[in-house]
Amino acid sequence: MRVNAMRDVAAAVRGRRKELGLSQADLARRVGVSRAWINAVEAGKPRVEFDLVLRLLDRLHLRLDLVKPGNHGDVFKGRSVDLDAILDEYRDQ
Amino acid sequence: MRVNAMRDVAAAVRGRRKELGLSQADLARRVGVSRAWINAVEAGKPRVEFDLVLRLLDRLHLRLDLVKPGNHGDVFKGRSVDLDAILDEYRDQ
DNA sequence: CTATGAAGTCATCGTTCATTGACAAGGTGG
DNA sequence: CCACCTTGTCAATGAACGATGACTTCATAG
């Protein structure tokens, strides 16, 4: 499942926590954060610390994968020139 | 590639940025953060805001996937009871 | 050599984070 | 009914964040 925002993490966390039959307090204790924080995360609070999220997902046995979306655009074999870069060139802000 | 800590993101970001031929300043402008922040991230600073990392990865066309590691342990078909949960039960802190 | 750009680092500052402790609302079981 | 647990929420506090501007170092180009 792709992660576009904290809302995605929120859903996954809540679902998995219930799967494991844990209360927010249980989970908080295991992750080493406050129950209020768990609650905020599950509510989709956007600005949270990255490493805490990693610890949280780890305790839920969820993995975070970083993928470089395919150069499936290998239509023209020779020109592996970065299309991405060119596109970027014309995207502002 | 699995993300265990910010150091993993750091490596990916630096590599991808160079691939795209961007300077830290360029990237910072595109993500909407300070150059110092980009620099810190590439240095593996552990406590950074999650949503900023998401914006960063997005601008680099990198995707973050949340995966629930396989129930490849489907050896005994009937008992799909949560092994995870049981293991959790006996893991403290 | 000089100039320009990139990268690394620092101090300062205002903002936001996560924690703590407390309270209320909702459900469940005795 | 009451007791208990869970969840949601809040105010106050100290810690850490990210922005900014300045400075240094290093490399490359002119």
Side-chain angles (χ1 to χ4, degrees):
Chain A
M1 170 221 209
R2 174 158 186 180
V3 177
N4 284 308
M6 269 302 293
R7 45 176 44 261
D8 300 324
V9 176
V13 166
R14 167 146 296 182
R16 188 86 174 112
R17 177 174 64 79
K18 303 238 146 172
E19 271 185 23
L20 298 177
L22 299 172
S23 71
Q24 292 182 347
D26 291 333
L27 184 54
R29 213 173 322 108
R30 291 191 180 192
V31 178
V33 296
S34 67
R35 184 177 66 83
W37 187 82
I38 296 287
N39 191 278
V41 166
E42 289 191 358
K45 179 169 186 285
R47 299 179 59 102
V48 294
E49 309 260 354
F50 191 80
D51 67 329
L52 291 184
V53 174
L54 286 184
R55 283 234 308 277
L56 169 60
L57 295 179
D58 177 65
R59 297 307 189 278
L60 289 172
H61 302 127
L62 291 174
R63 247 181 53 193
L64 214 48
D65 274 11
L66 188 52
V67 311
K68 175 159 77 175
N71 282 331
H72 294 325
D74 272 348
V75 191
F76 303 95
K77 281 184 282 192
R79 311 226 280 49
S80 72
V81 190
D82 255 316
L83 278 193
D84 287 348
I86 299 176
L87 286 173
D88 272 338
E89 220 59 56
Y90 294 96
R91 194 146 69 108
D92 352 37
Q93 198 208 43
Chain B
M1 168 224 209
R2 174 159 186 179
V3 177
N4 284 308
M6 268 302 292
R7 45 171 46 266
D8 301 323
V9 175
V13 165
R14 167 146 295 182
R16 188 87 174 112
R17 178 174 63 80
K18 304 238 147 175
E19 271 184 24
L20 298 178
L22 299 173
S23 71
Q24 291 182 348
D26 290 333
L27 184 54
R29 213 173 321 109
R30 293 191 179 193
V31 179
V33 296
S34 68
R35 184 176 65 83
W37 187 81
I38 296 288
N39 191 276
V41 166
E42 289 191 358
K45 181 169 186 285
R47 299 180 59 103
V48 293
E49 310 259 355
F50 191 80
D51 67 327
L52 290 183
V53 175
L54 285 184
R55 282 235 307 278
L56 170 60
L57 295 179
D58 177 65
R59 297 309 189 276
L60 290 172
H61 302 126
L62 291 174
R63 248 181 54 192
L64 215 47
D65 274 10
L66 188 53
V67 311
K68 176 159 77 176
N71 283 330
H72 294 324
D74 272 347
V75 190
F76 303 97
K77 280 182 282 191
R79 311 226 281 50
S80 71
V81 190
D82 254 317
L83 278 192
D84 287 348
I86 298 175
L87 286 173
D88 272 338
E89 222 56 57
Y90 294 96
R91 191 145 72 107
D92 352 37
Q93 198 208 43

